[in-house]
Amino acid sequence: MGDWMALFEAALPVLLQGAAHTLLFALVAMVLGLALGFAVAMVRVAKLPVLSQLAAFYVSAMRGTPLLVQIFVIYYGLPGVGLELGPVPAGVLALTLNVAAYLSESLRGGIAGVAKGQWDAAFSLGFTWWQTMRHIIAPQALRLSVPSLSNSLISLIKDTSLVSVITVTELMLATKEVIAQTFQPLPLYLAAAAIYWALSALFERLQRHVENRLNLAHQR
């Protein structure tokens, strides 16, 4: 056990640096994914001709194929058609496209959960479709979607481990590099798992805080 403690102490700075990159990738992909997911959800809710079908196909493709395959297609496949991306942009793009599909469904479900009478009341007051969505439906849908959105973020933190296959230095690749130097896979993989768990627990607490704040605001 003393050897493990010495190993953890030596490896911790490298693992924490990898964890910082993991958190950065997850947050960037989440912000971009939210923007794209909201746009996709709006297109599908509005049932825009052609665009709605394209959005549905995109969501089905992203949810129906493994993220690892998507990473390979973007990083190794796109250069074949003249579009070459570095490891970091390719990883962020893959994570963004993947999580946006799930977020769009969460948001669409939240919108569907708002009572139809809210739409009717807004239209009777002279609101346009977009004004109704922006001022009345979206705030309520966001409150309903928080648990699902938070689950997607927690999953995204874990999914960042997959970008290590294209040499993006995040927590998993940093762990593998330390293992290659120390030949101690078990304690180091356990340490990496503990860090992922800690990050997930942090966002679970944040989720509960946001839910409580939104529920309190709704009760008022």
Side-chain angles (χ1 to χ4, degrees), residues 169-214:
T169 305
E170 43 66 69
L171 177 56
M172 186 52 62
L173 185 58
T175 304
K176 292 178 180 178
E177 290 174 350
V178 177
I179 290 173
Q181 297 172 5
T182 62
F183 304 101
Q184 294 286 340
L186 178 58
L188 291 172
Y189 279 134
L190 288 176
I195 294 175
Y196 280 117
W197 188 10
L199 290 175
S200 298
L202 174 64
F203 280 97
E204 286 174 3
R205 293 194 63 177
L206 180 61
Q207 171 192 340
R208 289 194 293 269
H209 175 71
V210 172
E211 284 184 29
N212 291 336
R213 290 291 299 271
L214 289 176

Side-chain angles (χ1 to χ4, degrees), residues 111-197:
I111 292 170
V114 178
K116 186 178 182 298
Q118 300 285 319
W119 289 93
D120 296 336
F123 291 151
S124 69
L125 293 173
F127 281 64
T128 64
W129 187 94
W130 175 247
Q131 288 173 330
T132 301
M133 176 61 68
R134 179 183 176 185
H135 297 291
I136 298 174
I137 304 301
Q140 297 181 70
L142 179 61
R143 181 178 62 85
L144 296 174
S145 303
V146 164
S148 181
L149 295 176
S150 300
N151 288 337
S152 295
L153 175 56
I154 292 171
S155 295
L156 182 61
I157 291 173
K158 294 178 289 186
D159 288 342
T160 57
S161 62
L162 295 175
V163 300
S164 65
V165 299
I166 56 174
T167 69
V168 175
T169 305
E170 43 66 69
L171 177 56
M172 186 52 62
L173 185 58
T175 304
K176 292 178 180 178
E177 290 174 350
V178 177
I179 290 173
Q181 297 172 5
T182 62
F183 304 101
Q184 294 286 340
L186 178 58
L188 291 172
Y189 279 134
L190 288 176
I195 294 175
Y196 280 117
W197 188 10

